[in-house]
Amino acid sequence: MTEPSKVIHVRNVGHEISENDLLQLVQPFGVVTKLVMLRAKNQALLQMHDLASAMNVIQYYTNVQPSVRGRNVYIQFSSHQELTTTDQSSQGRKGDQDSPPNRILLVTIHQMLYPITVEVLQQVFSPCGYVEKIVTFQKSAGFQALIQFESQQSAVQARSSLQGRNIYDGCCQLDIQFSNLNELQVNYNNDRSRDFTNPSLPTEQRGRSSQQPGYGDAGSLYALQSSGGRVAYGQMGNAAAIAAAFGGGLPPGVTGTNDRSTILVTNLDPDKIDEDKLFNLFSIYGNIVRIKLLRNKPDHALVQMEDGFQAELAGSLLFGKRLELNFSKYPSITPASDTREYAGSSLNRFNNNAVKNYKYCCSPTKMIHLSSLPQDIAEEEILTHLEEHGTILSTKLFEVNGKKQALILFEDEAQATEALVCKHASSIARSVIRISFSQLQSI
């Protein structure tokens, strides 16, 4: 019996089965680091990231017959303990039977946890040779790109050296094939297409696609398929920003697959709350589109976030903090005279530098952070401005890059939350201050 190995041997791999098909077969069990298609033998070798992942694959498919495109395939441990560079080079030769070598590569990116732009792709592929053009788009196989090199030799080298590699640690894996196209046509230079030989091209006009028919629907912005449904590019960008801010993964309670952006908030105090105060609280976790207080239920309100990720983040970090939050059955709030619009508000925090803002997202704490303060502000002025909301235990004034900021520690979370809700975007000495919760425990 073959010894357990990180390398998996797959038999009965017909010519209709692609590398992407095999990746989809085993990727639920872990990251694939190398893949070799042995077309002449109708076989393939896949190397998992670790032995445990490979063992999970074999154990699962011992009880379940794997089938790809209607064809049964047979999986076992390989006699190889590791796939060598020579093995990968042979993949470049034998896999080329699908399409002959060409200076244009078709690249599919798997496990795309971070947004991939033409700039990222250009940085990854340019060490192999001069990249002339890049076009990105979404197809059923996932996020894809066509990359045109100046020479066929550069494209062959790129396929040989980059196939199966990850752009980022543990994600954004490259699956590279030769394209059968002769020339890419690029009409716009933007984050989804680029002609590096013609920098004078305009940026994309709204509602127009920068791709030729057959490249995929890039005009509607690319999307990520997830178990929770179709997630739009803007939403996926937020997920990447959240993951980057939280150290590479989503925070507890955030799945990244929610597509409901409207939150039903209950247990409000109708005598103290209004739309602007709800905006001040929820805008910590994302941009607000609109808010509606339910007049027939004075302690209820609807808050529509920019997307499902932000709504899920707010729900996760605010859940159990006196308020009760649930996703609304309504996908959005209908504009009306009794709704307050915030979509174009300059007070929305996530229009720029989203990663930085997500980094400071946290559940309500006893301490708040004040920024955009006047340079000549005195500690006494801050105390006078905030002391009506509770007992202030300590304060600290400081400067970051020449800008005055402050930390204020209240007696409890409720007092700090009230101060934020009531005084975010208020004025001190003709300056509009910004307030967020601080993750520090003491000053």
Side-chain angles (χ1 to χ4, degrees):
M1 182 176 178
T2 305
E3 290 291 322
S5 164
K6 290 191 296 184
V7 182
I8 295 169
H9 179 210
V10 187
R11 295 180 290 112
N12 201 33
V13 179
H15 286 279
E16 75 277 10
I17 296 176
S18 68
E19 295 175 356
N20 183 50
D21 293 329
L22 294 178
L23 287 170
Q24 291 181 355
L25 192 67
V26 302
Q27 276 184 333
F29 304 94
V31 176
V32 178
T33 58
K34 298 176 185 177
L35 189 155
V36 174
M37 298 291 284
L38 307 174
R39 289 296 189 188
K41 298 181 179 180
N42 284 349
Q43 298 176 13
L45 297 171
L46 298 93
Q47 179 173 312
M48 306 300 291
H49 176 69
D50 52 34
L51 181 60
S53 299
M55 292 179 70
N56 287 337
V57 173
I58 299 299
Q59 182 178 6
Y60 180 80
Y61 287 118
T62 298
N63 301 315
V64 176
Q65 172 62 56
S67 177
V68 182
R69 297 187 181 272
R71 175 192 288 260
N72 287 343
V73 296
Y74 304 94
I75 297 178
Q76 62 189 39
F77 288 118
S78 170
S79 58
H80 296 279
Q81 290 297 314
E82 191 93 18
L83 291 180
T84 65
T85 304
T86 304
D87 294 326
Q88 283 191 286
S89 298
S90 70
Q91 175 192 11
R93 293 190 299 272
K94 294 169 184 174
D96 295 347
Q97 294 178 13
D98 291 341
S99 293
N102 185 4
R103 68 183 182 127
I104 300 177
L105 299 177
L106 172 63
V107 180
T108 304
I109 298 179
H110 304 288
Q111 295 182 309
M112 199 172 80
L113 298 184
Y114 298 94
I116 301 298
T117 63
V118 293
E119 287 84 3
V120 172
L121 292 170
Q122 197 263 350
Q123 291 177 19
V124 171
F125 283 86
S126 60
C128 300
Y130 179 65
V131 175
E132 292 184 333
K133 301 175 183 179
I134 298 177
V135 171
T136 65
F137 52 94
Q138 179 73 24
K139 296 284 279 187
S140 59
F143 177 72
Q144 296 184 309
L146 288 164
I147 300 177
Q148 179 174 312
F149 282 91
E150 185 177 39
S151 69
Q152 178 179 303
Q153 181 181 358
S154 296
V156 171
Q157 180 184 344
R159 187 181 192 277
S160 175
S161 61
L162 296 175
Q163 169 62 23
R165 301 282 296 275
N166 293 332
I167 296 178
Y168 300 109
D169 288 343
C171 66
C172 301
Q173 186 182 55
L174 298 170
D175 180 6
I176 306 173
Q177 302 173 22
F178 291 111
S179 169
N180 57 8
L181 297 175
N182 296 319
E183 183 77 26
L184 293 185
Q185 179 179 334
V186 177
N187 298 322
Y188 303 99
N189 284 336
N190 52 39
D191 61 350
R192 297 183 302 281
S193 64
R194 189 71 53 86
D195 185 344
F196 295 99
T197 68
N198 186 8
S200 62
L201 286 177
T203 58
E204 183 178 357
Q205 299 173 0
R206 186 174 296 274
R208 298 275 312 270
S209 170
S210 64
Q211 322 302 341
Q212 287 182 323
Y215 286 177
D217 183 13
S220 60
L221 299 181
Y222 67 79
L224 174 70
Q225 289 288 349
S226 69
S227 59
R230 194 173 179 83
V231 184
Y233 167 75
Q235 185 167 331
M236 191 203 67
N238 282 333
I242 293 172
F246 282 85
L250 297 177
V254 178
T255 67
T257 62
N258 172 57
D259 59 358
R260 294 171 292 178
S261 59
T262 303
I263 299 171
L264 175 64
V265 188
T266 59
N267 204 30
L268 296 168
D269 185 341
D271 295 326
K272 293 184 177 180
I273 203 69
D274 59 29
E275 293 91 343
D276 288 342
K277 290 177 180 177
L278 282 172
F279 172 87
N280 289 346
L281 178 59
F282 281 86
S283 65
I284 294 174
Y285 308 105
N287 289 335
I288 309 300
V289 177
R290 60 182 62 93
I291 295 175
K292 179 177 182 177
L293 298 178
L294 303 185
R295 304 302 175 187
N296 58 335
K297 295 182 179 179
D299 65 335
H300 287 51
L302 293 172
V303 178
Q304 183 180 342
M305 310 289 287
E306 189 172 61
D307 60 45
F309 278 110
Q310 295 178 353
E312 195 173 28
L313 182 65
S316 171
L317 295 179
L318 287 175
F319 182 75
K321 303 297 179 181
R322 298 179 61 184
L323 300 177
E324 294 182 12
L325 286 81
N326 293 283
F327 291 115
S328 171
K329 63 181 180 181
Y330 300 104
S332 62
I333 302 173
T334 303
S337 59
D338 60 345
T339 63
R340 187 75 59 85
E341 296 288 330
Y342 293 96
S345 174
S346 61
L347 296 175
N348 270 319
R349 304 172 188 247
F350 293 79
N351 294 323
N352 299 299
N353 205 349
V355 173
K356 178 182 177 182
N357 282 295
Y358 283 123
K359 182 178 180 181
Y360 296 113
C361 285
C362 63
S363 298
T365 66
K366 298 178 183 179
M367 191 180 300
I368 58 175
H369 173 254
L370 280 63
S371 59
S372 301
L373 291 168
Q375 283 299 111
D376 57 351
I377 190 77
E379 185 175 313
E380 291 74 18
E381 292 179 84
I382 297 175
L383 290 172
T384 300
H385 193 66
L386 298 175
E387 61 186 1
E388 65 179 294
H389 303 295
T391 303
I392 297 175
L393 301 180
S394 58
T395 64
K396 181 180 180 180
L397 273 173
F398 58 97
E399 287 192 9
V400 176
N401 297 325
K403 296 180 180 180
K404 190 63 69 73
Q405 301 183 27
L407 291 171
I408 312 295
L409 180 63
F410 281 88
E411 193 172 43
D412 57 40
E413 295 174 5
Q415 295 175 2
T417 301
E418 182 179 314
L420 181 147
V421 164
C422 295
K423 293 297 168 61
H424 173 67
S426 62
S427 296
I428 295 182
R430 297 182 299 280
S431 291
V432 177
I433 63 172
R434 296 203 168 212
I435 304 177
S436 58
F437 292 112
S438 172
Q439 300 176 31
L440 296 175
Q441 300 299 313
S442 62
I443 298 176

